[in-house]
Amino acid sequence: MYPEAIARHLAVMGTALTLTISAPTRERALDASEAAVRAVEVVDRLLSTWREDTPLARLNAAAPGDQKPVTPELFHLLRNLFEWSERTGGAFDPTVAPLVRAWGLRTGGRIPTPQELASARTASGAPLFTFRESSLSLSRLDPAAGIDEGAWGKGWALDRAAEAARAVGATALVLDLGGQVLAFGPETVVSVAHPGDRSRAVATIRLKDASASTSGNSERGLVVNGRRIGHLLDPRTGEPAPDFGSVTVIAPTGLNADILSTALFVLGPKDGMALSERLRADGVVHETLFLLEGEEGKPPRAAMTPGMEHLVTLAPAFLSHSKKSLEGAHP
């Protein structure tokens, strides 16, 4: 008996969701696809800060010191995110909402004044939020503080969708939410775009029981007064992270892949690879691929962790080297 597969494409969480789900019967595959879609919609109703009626949006609007109760699931998720901020030395920080506002990333872009940027940095940071375990509630200590879901929400939604689909009988699936992919079951192949041209694939990665997330600025960068502003901000400086190309991370969960690709992009190739190595030595399972655009007439380059070398196939335009190819890379 061959499995039945269902393919769907729809809009959710402000982006596109594509599902291919297999199960022993067509009815079971349909049920699994519905469960996956509903799970993503539930995540959106928990996390979206594009609307005012979600628990995260209400927390961001609460008066300083006002304890806002959240679901146990959201409470532990947010605590986990704050731990990731510490683990990455602040390269990943969910509390960047004030910086997102300062740079107008949701309103077409703007250049903040030094005073505005300083105020946004003061309103950012994990210490401005307190967790109360006894009541499963959080509070913020600054009226401008806020948590932004942009660097982790999609990854968590993929995890929840996969769990929901498997719970009702999915035997294999490939989920693509805004370009981040999660797959389990038979091995699948996903494409990685050229860091300067999203329409052109320059690598393929074999993915099995894992998620792949790519971070780069080619698609969502803004130009304001002649200055290009990347949508990925460095929480440590408050400035847009310097552009160098892209970074792709494979990890066992969508959440970890999403967080790590953001953090490693913010750090840049050399410091990002160093953090990747430290985390893997500490048992954080993942693999990393940096694609560096050519500079000053140099060809584009690729650098990757040892495990990624067995998973990736690069286009001839990219030179696959060891981590030594990061020498001279910017930033």
Side-chain angles (χ1 to χ4, degrees):
M1 183 177 184
Y2 294 99
E4 295 283 343
I6 294 294
R8 298 179 62 179
H9 184 84
L10 62 153
V12 67
M13 292 186 74
T15 190
L17 171 64
T18 300
L19 314 86
T20 303
I21 295 181
S22 298
T25 65
R26 179 174 175 78
E27 181 180 13
R28 189 68 62 86
L30 284 168
D31 289 343
S33 73
E34 281 298 315
V37 172
R38 287 195 299 269
V40 175
E41 292 172 342
V42 168
V43 169
D44 193 38
R45 291 195 294 270
L46 280 174
L47 302 183
S48 177
T49 55
W50 291 84
R51 43 199 272 195
E52 299 177 355
D53 62 343
T54 69
L56 191 58
R58 288 193 290 268
L59 172 63
N60 286 347
D66 184 13
Q67 292 286 331
K68 283 292 181 183
V70 296
T71 65
E73 185 177 42
L74 184 55
F75 182 90
H76 294 297
L77 169 65
L78 294 175
R79 175 168 281 178
N80 182 32
L81 296 177
F82 279 54
E83 292 171 355
W84 268 109
S85 181
E86 182 177 354
R87 196 176 292 145
T88 61
F92 166 80
D93 187 342
T95 72
V96 294
L99 294 171
V100 170
R101 291 194 296 268
W103 288 96
L105 296 185
R106 293 188 174 187
T107 55
R110 63 188 298 273
I111 307 296
T113 66
Q115 293 78 15
E116 288 172 333
L117 187 57
S119 296
R121 292 185 65 190
T122 299
S124 303
L128 294 177
F129 288 83
T130 61
F131 290 77
R132 182 171 294 175
E133 184 90 40
S134 59
S135 58
L136 293 179
S137 61
L138 290 85
S139 63
R140 59 180 191 152
L141 306 181
D142 188 294
I147 295 173
D148 185 88
E149 76 278 21
W152 51 274
K154 287 195 306 180
W156 191 57
L158 285 172
D159 292 334
R160 303 299 294 134
E163 291 171 10
R166 295 181 73 170
V168 294
T171 55
L173 64 75
V174 178
L175 305 176
D176 183 330
L177 182 59
Q180 182 175 349
V181 179
L182 184 150
F184 79 80
E187 183 177 272
T188 189
V189 176
V190 298
S191 297
V192 180
H194 189 289
D197 182 1
R198 295 280 294 175
S199 66
R200 181 156 57 101
V202 293
T204 58
I205 292 177
R206 294 184 291 109
L207 192 66
K208 179 176 172 61
D209 300 335
S211 180
S213 174
T214 297
S215 291
N217 276 324
S218 65
E219 186 176 57
R220 293 174 58 192
L222 303 168
V223 177
V224 181
N225 297 332
R227 176 180 173 181
R228 180 171 173 79
I229 300 172
H231 75 285
L232 294 172
L233 302 174
D234 186 340
R236 303 165 303 168
T237 65
E239 298 276 347
D243 204 356
F244 60 85
S246 68
V247 57
T248 297
V249 171
I250 296 176
T253 68
L255 181 65
N256 286 8
D258 205 357
I259 289 171
L260 282 169
S261 69
T262 301
L264 299 184
F265 184 91
V266 165
L267 288 169
K270 289 185 286 188
D271 290 344
M273 188 64 83
L275 176 62
S276 178
E277 290 178 346
R278 289 197 299 271
L279 290 174
R280 286 185 294 109
D282 289 340
V284 179
V285 178
H286 71 284
E287 300 296 342
T288 303
L289 168 67
F290 282 94
L291 297 182
L292 285 66
E293 294 189 79
E295 302 170 347
E296 302 174 356
K298 296 179 181 178
R301 294 171 289 164
M304 64 195 77
T305 52
M308 184 67 87
E309 295 177 2
H310 306 292
L311 302 174
V312 67
T313 300
L314 290 164
F318 275 83
L319 302 178
S320 178
H321 295 295
S322 68
K323 61 187 177 183
K324 290 183 179 179
S325 67
L326 296 177
E327 294 176 359
H330 299 285

